Amino acid sequence: NQHRKQKTNCKLEDIMESADTESQNNKSLNNSLAKPIMDSSMSQNKSLLDGINSDHISLDTIWGRIGFGWYHARMTFIIGLVAVSEGAQVIISTLCIGILQNEWGYDDFTKTLLISLLFIGVVVGACVSGFSADKHGRYQPLLYSLGLMTAFNILSAFSFDVISFAVTRTILGFFMGFYGPLGFTMVAENVPIDFRGKIVMIANSCFFMGELLGCLTAYFTVDSLTSGDWQSLTLWSNSTLLLALILNFL
């Protein structure tokens, strides 16, 4: 019995030693597999920072090493679509006011006030956007303002009197002013410095393209400065906003 017991203990020791040896082999194998990956990642990071003083690394330097890519193109396209809609709103608001004056019969002072309220909202929104961006960042305020801009533009198309139209257009103007400077700031901050001037110029030119879109839409929906389908005119201007909102989630 004692001989069997000793023999069993020897077998257990052999099994444990074999298990320890296998564990060490597996660990060394994992290390050998992980090392090239780690070395590759470190070399990529090193290549981005190669030749840069580690005490003076700026975001522009990092963007310059990464280069212009799909992210920058997508971001510029989305913000450009919103700029197109904002440009269209300038033309559409002017046309709608004349048509609604003929339909609802308000005086010239009310007509002037309705036009002014949109731009008062733009000024207030532009003033607030900087504080919001400093506190909440760029993306979240841009996304929320885009969604609310889309919603109030649709609501303004279904206004039933002067007050409802004035309220919806003023709030629309607020989010237009909120989105505009924040969107162009985001483009300027994130596009590599070698492409920044051209991309910002293209994004700003989208506003004037929007004015052309507003005129083109009016050609098919407006009969004259005092008659026409102002609701279709307003809703068609919302198409670029809806497209921009969808692209944010893709």
Side-chain angles (χ1 to χ4, degrees):
N1 291 336
Q2 188 174 2
H3 178 71
R4 288 181 179 177
K5 189 175 182 180
Q6 290 176 353
K7 192 174 182 180
T8 303
N9 290 336
C10 290
K11 288 183 179 180
L12 289 173
E13 289 176 359
D14 292 339
I15 293 171
M16 292 177 65
E17 288 179 1
S18 176
D20 291 337
T21 303
E22 186 176 354
S23 176
Q24 291 177 0
N25 290 336
N26 288 335
K27 187 180 293 185
S28 62
L29 179 61
N30 290 334
N31 290 335
S32 64
L33 292 174
K35 190 175 185 301
I37 298 174
M38 295 174 63
D39 291 343
S40 175
S41 178
M42 291 175 65
S43 64
Q44 288 177 1
N45 293 333
K46 186 178 179 181
S47 65
L48 285 175
L49 303 177
D50 188 28
I52 303 173
N53 187 347
S54 59
D55 296 331
H56 301 87
I57 299 176
S58 66
L59 182 61
D60 285 340
T61 305
I62 302 299
W63 277 130
R65 292 299 179 96
I66 294 173
F68 189 86
W70 168 247
Y71 166 78
H72 303 99
R74 177 176 172 273
M75 175 185 63
T76 305
F77 183 67
I78 291 173
I79 293 174
L81 285 174
V82 179
V84 168
S85 178
E86 291 182 350
Q89 293 300 331
V90 175
I91 301 298
I92 289 170
S93 296
T94 306
L95 294 173
C96 286
I97 295 301
I99 297 172
L100 290 175
Q101 184 182 29
N102 186 44
E103 289 188 8
W104 292 346
Y106 50 74
D107 55 21
D108 289 338
F109 174 78
T110 304
K111 176 182 178 181
T112 305
L113 180 62
L114 288 175
I115 297 175
S116 301
L117 285 174
L118 175 72
F119 295 101
I120 291 173
V122 170
V123 172
V124 175
C127 294
V128 173
S129 64
F131 297 102
S132 177
D134 291 339
K135 187 175 182 180
H136 303 289
R138 303 288 189 266
Y139 181 74
Q140 291 290 345
L142 281 173
L143 183 60
Y144 291 141
S145 61
L146 175 58
L148 291 169
M149 197 191 315
T150 305
F152 279 98
N153 192 30
I154 294 174
L155 288 174
S156 69
F158 296 98
S159 301
F160 51 86
D161 59 10
V162 175
I163 295 177
S164 60
F165 186 80
V167 171
T168 53
R169 298 302 286 185
T170 303
I171 298 175
L172 171 63
F174 173 85
F175 289 113
M176 286 172 57
F178 186 94
Y179 192 98
L182 197 55
F184 290 120
T185 299
M186 187 173 178
V187 170
E189 288 177 342
N190 289 279
V191 171
I193 194 168
D194 293 338
F195 300 88
R196 187 169 298 163
K198 296 178 181 178
I199 295 301
V200 171
M201 181 186 67
I202 292 172
N204 277 282
S205 66
C206 290
F207 183 87
F208 304 106
M209 292 171 62
E211 291 183 318
L212 292 174
L213 177 64
C215 294
L216 181 63
T217 307
Y219 180 81
F220 295 101
T221 56
V222 175
D223 300 324
S224 66
L225 294 177
T226 56
S227 64
D229 189 355
W230 65 274
Q231 290 178 315
S232 296
L233 179 64
T234 304
L235 290 174
W236 270 110
S237 69
N238 213 45
S239 57
T240 55
L241 289 178
L242 287 172
L243 180 58
L245 190 61
I246 292 170
L247 290 175
N248 268 284
F249 294 99
L250 295 180

